[in-house]
Structure formats: C-alpha cells, structure tokens
Amino acid sequence: MEEIQIPPYFICPISLEMMKDPVTISTGITYDRENIEKWIFSAKNNTCPATKQALTCIELTPNVTLRRFIQSWCTLNESHGIERFPTPKPPVSKPQIIKLLKEAKSPKLQMKSLKRLRSIASKNDANKRCMESAGAMEFLASIINKNSSEVFEEEEGIMSIKDEALSILYQLKLSENGLRSLILSGNGEFIESLTRVMQNGSYEFRAYAVMLMKDMFEVSTPTLLLSLKKEFFTQVVQVLRDEISQKAMKASLQVLVHACPFGRNRVKAAEAGAIRVLIDLLLDSSEKRVCELMLILLDQICQSAEGRAELLNHPGGLAIVSKKILRVSKVGSERAIKILHSISKFSSTPSVVQEMLSLGVVAKLCLVLQVDCGSKAKERAREILKIHAKTWRNSPCIPNNLLSSYPF
C-alpha cells in the first residue's frame, strides 16, 4: 500500500501529529488546540514553543482556513484509510461568560446559571481561564462573602447558592494572579468567609474551603498571614481533627505550615489545639508526605513556649516524635530531632529529661549518630546528648552497642 505523506503545514509543531483543530496564538504560529492548551494551561508555560517568545495573551484564534484544507485533504485521501474528522464545536467565549454572569445576578436564574458555569468549567482548562478573565472569580467570591444562606432543592438534595459558588471557584484552579486578586479583595474578607464555611459547612464544602485556602496561601504575602485570627486556626485544626479526607488533611497541614513561620501564629495554632491533634494523627499515619508535613508543623509550633508545653502535656508527645526518627524520611528525621532539640534546650525540666530516657529517646539519638541521616540532624542529636550527659551517660537504658556513640 502506498504510504501517504501528510503536508508539513498540517502538522502540529509540538506533537508532530496532524492537526484536528488548528488555532493561532499571539506570536502568529498555528498549533493543534489540544496540544497548545496542554502546553499553556497544564504545563503552565507562557511562551510560544516554536519561537520562545512570551505570549502577550492566551487567546487562541481558530485557523478556519487551515482546518478546511486539512478536512479537504482527508476527504481526498479517504480511499487510503484517512478519516475526515468533524468540525470541532467552537469553544466558549468571553462574551458568553459575561452574559451568563449577568443572568446569574437574577435570583430566579441564579442556580441555573451557576450550574451552567460549573459545566463549562469542567470541560477544559481553556474554559477555566476564559471564565477567570471574564470576571467569574469576582462574582463567585461576592456570593461566598454574602451572609445569605439561600438554598434550592435539587435532585441530589438541598443545595446552597454559596456552596455551589465555592465548588465552582475551587474547580476553576485559578492562576497565580487570580489567587492574589482573591487574597487582596475586601481586605481579608474572603479568608473570613472561608473560615465561616469551615465552621458551618458540610464536610464536602469545608474541604473545598481549606483546599482553596491552600492554593491562596502558596502565593500569599506575610502581611495577610500575620493578620490571621485565632478563629481561623481553630477551624483549620478542626478540619484536621475531623479527618474529612486525605486531600483535606494535606491541604490543612499545608495551610498551617504556610501560616506558622510567624511567632504570633505559632501561639494561635498551639492555643487552637494543633499539637494534640497532630500527635494523635501521627500515631496512626503512615503516608510519607503527610507525616513530613505533621513533623514540619510540630517543629514550627514547638518553637514557641506554648507549643512545647502542649507537646509535653500530651502523654504520647515525646514518644511519637522519637518513634518517627529514622522511620519516615530524611526530612522527617531532621524535623523530629529539631523538635527534641527545642524541648531539650528550652523546656528540659528534670522530669522531662528522665521521661526522654525512659521512653528510649536517648537510645534513638545515639543511633542517629551511627547512621546516615544528615549532618544537621547529627549535630542536633549530639548537642542534645551533651546537654544532658550528666544524667544520661551512666544509664542502663542506653544499649551497650550504642555507648561508643555517646558524645561524652
């Protein structure tokens, strides 16, 4: 059978496959829609793959002439097994979204319009960016900020307008600029609105709230993080305590890790009960990244006197931190040793020093000196052992094979 050569200008420069929906970007180069959308939206590139020029806008203009050429060529070569692909459905446009947003301001049409917006957002990343540029983010945020609790009865049950808006906003996966705009809007009002959702919402929408907050905090400024109220920490810790889902747990931990490099926030987190919840969760948690986040957060909070006091008040605090050394990862071990270092340096009463010995903390630290777990971890372990050398060095709790490691 004769081999059919596809004309080179029918080929997408990214995938080297034949284009089915050719579109032209701001640099004048034409690509297949699916491939260039993956390049811009999924891979988050802001340059033209062929010319490396920065994209002045992300609008994709259909190259109708080229598409018709390709379809005609497919028809002419049908006898060779080439199938003519159908004309693609035109993507959603900015004017269409603006019209929908206007309709959504009418109480009678609001839920119907929101459902249409959710359907559009679920199609692809290009639709999401189109919705963001058309002002959907600001509109949805304004609904969430309202104190109204208006609900509609749907097939799947009673649905709140606010809940629907939140689920769409999370689904949009906003750009960094969009997230920053959301943070700055209303002088922190949106954070308070999400805090109320975490306090009063169902499990599903509390999860949406904390996962959206995680995305926002990744691009946030210290100014916003320093202004967080105690109620915020109380509600994020409660999401952790309720173990809504693995995704919600991870997002809650990341939110608190972003918030707790600051002294005042560490105290608020400790007062919200974060230490007790983290210790209880660590007892049963085995997933590597989750354990790392918990130990990172414990380390941050234990840099405050309030955090250290909470950890020592927990019957299993010292034991579980020690247990995680050499069992999670290098990062986990370093953070666990750092927590013990903070306790030893600033909160080491005679009873605490004795408890560390009886729990096997000392033997674990001696073991750290013998294995490869990072120079900083070894340095801190050695310093802890030196601080309490008078109490610990003659103890029968230290195995004979580890005595040679003890830094007398």
Side-chain angles (χ1 to χ4, degrees), residues 199-402:
Q199 184 176 15
N200 304 313
S202 66
Y203 272 20
E204 180 184 0
F205 295 102
R206 289 168 68 200
Y208 280 142
V210 78
M211 289 189 290
L212 179 57
M213 209 174 290
K214 185 268 292 183
D215 293 340
M216 292 167 64
F217 278 26
E218 285 175 353
V219 298
S220 187
T221 61
T223 305
L224 172 84
L225 298 174
L226 283 165
S227 66
L228 295 170
K229 297 179 180 177
K230 186 180 174 182
E231 183 61 24
F232 161 83
F233 290 92
T234 301
Q235 296 310 323
V236 177
V237 169
Q238 188 60 49
V239 172
L240 266 181
R241 184 182 282 115
D242 290 341
E243 299 184 59
I244 294 172
S245 69
Q246 191 78 348
K247 282 181 74 175
M249 177 186 289
K250 199 175 285 188
S252 303
L253 291 168
Q254 289 169 314
V255 162
L256 292 171
V257 166
H258 282 299
C260 286
F262 308 101
R264 280 182 290 174
N265 288 352
R266 290 169 185 160
V267 174
K268 290 173 189 173
E271 290 174 346
I275 294 284
R276 178 164 289 276
V277 172
L278 289 168
I279 294 296
D280 290 343
L281 290 173
L282 265 174
L283 285 166
D284 300 317
S285 184
S286 58
E287 206 269 306
K288 177 184 168 183
R289 184 55 186 156
V290 170
C291 285
E292 285 180 348
L293 286 168
M294 289 180 186
L295 289 165
I296 289 168
L297 185 53
L298 275 173
D299 170 34
Q300 289 177 325
I301 303 174
C302 282
Q303 290 176 44
S304 69
E306 292 81 358
R308 292 191 296 275
E310 286 295 314
L311 184 131
L312 292 172
N313 283 335
H314 193 294
L318 285 173
I320 192 62
V321 171
S322 172
K323 184 182 177 182
K324 292 299 177 182
I325 297 173
L326 304 178
R327 287 198 179 188
V328 177
S329 65
K330 195 170 181 178
V331 171
S333 295
E334 285 177 352
R335 292 293 182 154
I337 292 168
K338 201 173 168 200
I339 293 164
L340 296 176
H341 186 264
S342 294
I343 297 290
S344 293
K345 203 168 182 182
F346 303 111
S347 305
S348 56
T349 62
S351 61
V352 169
V353 173
Q354 194 57 44
E355 184 184 358
M356 291 172 81
L357 186 64
S358 62
L359 288 171
V361 174
V362 185
K364 183 63 77 78
L365 293 173
C366 287
L367 189 59
V368 165
L369 300 182
Q370 295 186 322
V371 300
D372 179 22
C373 63
S375 57
K376 282 189 176 180
K378 286 191 175 190
E379 188 181 328
R380 287 196 179 100
R382 189 175 288 109
E383 190 174 340
I384 296 169
L385 291 167
K386 282 183 177 178
I387 289 171
H388 306 299
K390 287 184 179 179
T391 307
W392 291 344
R393 64 184 176 184
N394 295 319
S395 171
C397 293
I398 304 176
N400 290 330
N401 65 315
L402 296 180

Side-chain angles (χ1 to χ4, degrees), residues 90-101 116-117 120:
V92 69
S93 66
K94 194 171 176 178
Q96 286 175 300
I97 299 296
I98 292 170
K99 183 175 180 289
L100 259 179
L101 293 174
R116 176 70 183 128
L117 287 169
I120 291 169

